Amino acid sequence: QKEVEQNSGPLSVPEGAIASLNCTYSDRGSQSFFWYRQYSGKSPELIMSIYSNGDKEDGRFTAQLNKASQYVSLLIRDSQPSDSATYLCAVKGRTRDSNYQLIWGAGTKLIIKP
Amino acid sequence: DADVTQTPRNRITKTGKRIMLECSQTKGHDRMYWYRQDPGLGLRLIYYSFDVKDINKGEISDGYSVSRQAQAKFSLSLESAIPNQTALYFCATSDIPHNEQFFGPGTRLTVL
């Protein structure tokens, strides 16, 4: 089974600072990578997707992909208390039944301290 | 209006009861999924369907069954609920080629 690894945290970051979240994956053939935000008791919400090496920016969020090193990261600039949530990394990979699925990390809990 | 809806949003039931959770979507996606999430744990795939005639087991399908009634509807059944099925259940949809998934609001199920 292909794996996606994240530090469970919690990661504590002061308000206004940059939060850096990391994710590593085992399937070298993976082509699609996603970051989801999940507030406690709520459903995961897609915030970033990235498909090629390099950086992709969307507002205060930047996703970074390095396929050679098999990691994907999410940077949140000017962190706000409302960014406090669990961030899930998901990678499109081949599962045991040979279908392509999203393989999920367990998530990193981010706490932004005012 | 929500693109992916789930009913009920909360359900408390007793051991041995049959329970059905329903999911509907207006996104026009062919692919639909059922996940469960336990406190502090990640998402675990129960069943998925690539179209009305294609249903596949996920990593934790034992004790569950599904029905894909139409492109827009995908139901999850617990034939005889047990306490360790207490969890948050999510339905999701996705489109090709990248497979990014969009989630419903979830159903909080408690089995006493």
Side-chain angles (χ1 to χ4, degrees):
Chain A
Q1 174 72 8
K2 309 300 182 183
E3 294 183 345
V4 174
E5 301 286 343
Q6 296 181 255
N7 189 319
S8 61
L11 174 65
S12 183
V13 174
E15 183 175 358
I18 296 175
S20 178
L21 304 163
N22 298 310
C23 171
T24 59
Y25 61 94
S26 62
D27 184 359
R28 285 194 171 275
S30 297
Q31 295 296 322
S32 305
F33 307 85
F34 308 97
W35 283 100
Y36 285 77
R37 177 177 62 199
Q38 186 177 25
Y39 295 113
S40 181
K42 303 297 184 182
S43 58
E45 174 192 9
L46 179 65
I47 55 172
M48 290 291 287
S49 56
I50 188 166
Y51 310 118
S52 56
N53 276 331
D55 295 359
K56 179 181 178 182
E57 186 175 319
D58 183 1
R60 295 187 296 111
F61 298 99
T62 298
Q64 299 176 317
L65 175 60
N66 184 322
K67 290 185 178 180
S69 299
Q70 295 177 242
Y71 81 78
V72 57
S73 61
L74 179 70
L75 301 178
I76 306 175
R77 289 181 301 281
D78 188 23
S79 297
Q80 302 297 310
S82 59
D83 294 326
S84 297
T86 295
Y87 289 80
L88 304 175
C89 174
V91 175
K92 181 182 174 182
R94 196 184 289 271
T95 56
R96 286 192 188 96
D97 58 5
S98 298
N99 284 319
Y100 280 99
Q101 291 294 346
L102 287 193
I103 300 170
W104 295 86
T108 298
K109 185 174 184 178
L110 175 66
I111 299 172
I112 306 300
K113 291 187 172 181
Chain B
D1 289 338
D3 293 326
V4 185
T5 58
Q6 292 184 235
T7 56
R9 295 293 310 279
N10 289 283
R11 181 72 184 268
I12 299 173
T13 190
K14 295 182 178 180
T15 297
K17 295 292 187 181
R18 184 179 187 274
I19 299 296
M20 179 179 286
L21 309 182
E22 299 186 335
C23 176
S24 295
Q25 54 114 347
T26 59
K27 298 185 77 68
H29 291 165
D30 286 326
R31 299 182 173 197
M32 298 187 73
Y33 308 81
W34 277 104
Y35 290 94
R36 69 175 277 177
Q37 188 175 43
D38 297 276
L41 299 180
L43 294 165
R44 290 188 291 169
L45 184 62
I46 306 171
Y47 271 95
Y48 63 100
S49 171
F50 283 173
D51 64 40
V52 175
K53 296 181 181 180
D54 181 26
I55 293 178
N56 303 280
K57 293 182 177 180
E59 59 181 299
I60 56 162
S61 59
D62 287 349
Y64 301 94
S65 62
V66 292
S67 173
R68 184 83 184 266
Q69 301 93 326
Q71 186 210 35
K73 295 185 182 295
F74 193 34
S75 300
L76 175 72
S77 293
L78 288 68
E79 296 301 325
S80 180
I82 57 177
N84 77 0
Q85 291 177 315
T86 293
L88 195 51
Y89 289 83
F90 292 110
C91 173
T93 74
S94 74
D95 204 357
I96 55 175
H98 296 298
N99 217 34
E100 59 249 89
Q101 295 184 8
F102 300 92
F103 286 78
T107 294
R108 185 171 297 280
L109 176 66
T110 302
V111 183
L112 302 176

